[in-house]
Amino acid sequence: MSPLLKIRSERDQMSAIERRIADFLLDNAHLLRDYSSQQLANALGISQSSVVKFSQKLGFKGYPDLKYSIGQAVARGDGGDEHVASEVRNDDPHAALAEDLWHLKAQAEAATRLINPPERIDAIAAAIQQAGKVFIIGLGEDGIPARAFATRLSMLGILTVHYVDAILMQAGVSSAAPGDVLLVFSEHGRQPALCQISRLFRERFGKVISVSRHTPNPLRAHADAALLVSAHDERRHIEPLLYQCALQHLLDLIFILLCDGNDDRRSQLDFNFERMQDLLDS
């Protein structure tokens, strides 16, 4: 596993000092060979022991081991900030921008995959597959992926209850039964209304699955399982794009598992597609 990719995926769980070290390593990976642990500590205004502990927390024997591993990753172009070199057509002024964006999206997807182990994904897909009803809610911008996923589940013949209003969902969960699933989409997981809905749903012995960033948040505390997204960029107009891309890829993976794990579901999907096409053609 690339050490740079590991640092990216675990950054949200780090302390303030650890994040400073992480950001420095990510931004200066190609220059790290010139820094000793003491020089790095001096540059950040922290103790040398903090650098050593940071390295060991990532699973390395010490800073020299971490520095060597990062140097190898940079040489391979594996997870670093050096963008993939490619030919840029002279008549395409957007080629470099597109390449840069694609590279950032790929990093976000890879980091997101690392923090969602296969066994967790399989368990969540199985819970949705076996649920009597799947409740889905997302407020504001979170409602966009929530609605799209609800539509896909419906196309598979899964009984889906989708709301964009917290008050209506709070009333809707009164019909929840044991074994039902609630998917709560919230990037930052801080809406008190969604936490309240999750608590009520669990009281009815339903399973709550939160969908949020890889950060400690109240919503995750009310969930039985969590789908986590890791997507970071200092530019405010870029970071949401990375989040949406990584989240979509994660949801697509679960959708494919649902299709591949049940022939009847896939047949229902084919039937619904054909019926929709007939309506469009008529």
Side-chain angles (χ1 to χ4, degrees), residues 207-218:
K207 185 180 181 99
V208 177
I209 299 171
S210 64
V211 184
S212 68
R213 280 189 174 274
H214 184 220
T215 54
N217 60 70

Side-chain angles (χ1 to χ4, degrees), residues 25 42 45 74 138 146 170 175 180 226 262:
L25 296 180
N42 292 341
V74 170
Q170 196 158 3
S175 65
D180 287 349
N262 190 308

Side-chain angles (χ1 to χ4, degrees), residues 47-80:
S47 67
Q48 185 180 19
S49 62
S50 295
V51 177
V52 176
K53 290 177 181 177
F54 176 88
S55 306
Q56 294 172 340
K57 189 173 181 179
L58 288 174
F60 295 93
K61 295 179 180 179
Y63 173 74
D65 192 23
L66 172 61
K67 182 169 72 168
Y68 176 79
S69 182
I70 290 177
Q72 293 293 100
V74 170
R76 294 191 305 266
D78 183 12

Side-chain angles (χ1 to χ4, degrees), residues 253-273:
L253 176 60
I254 293 175
F255 177 73
I256 292 173
L257 290 174
L258 293 172
C259 291
D260 292 347
N262 190 308
D263 291 338
D264 292 337
R265 297 288 192 204
R266 195 162 59 250
S267 297
Q268 184 67 51
L269 178 67
D270 293 338
F271 173 77
N272 284 332
F273 273 133

Side-chain angles (χ1 to χ4, degrees), residues 91-111:
D91 60 344
D92 185 359
H94 301 148
L97 178 62
E99 184 70 37
D100 178 59
L101 183 58
W102 180 259
H103 181 74
L104 292 172
K105 286 181 176 181
Q107 284 186 338
E109 184 279 323

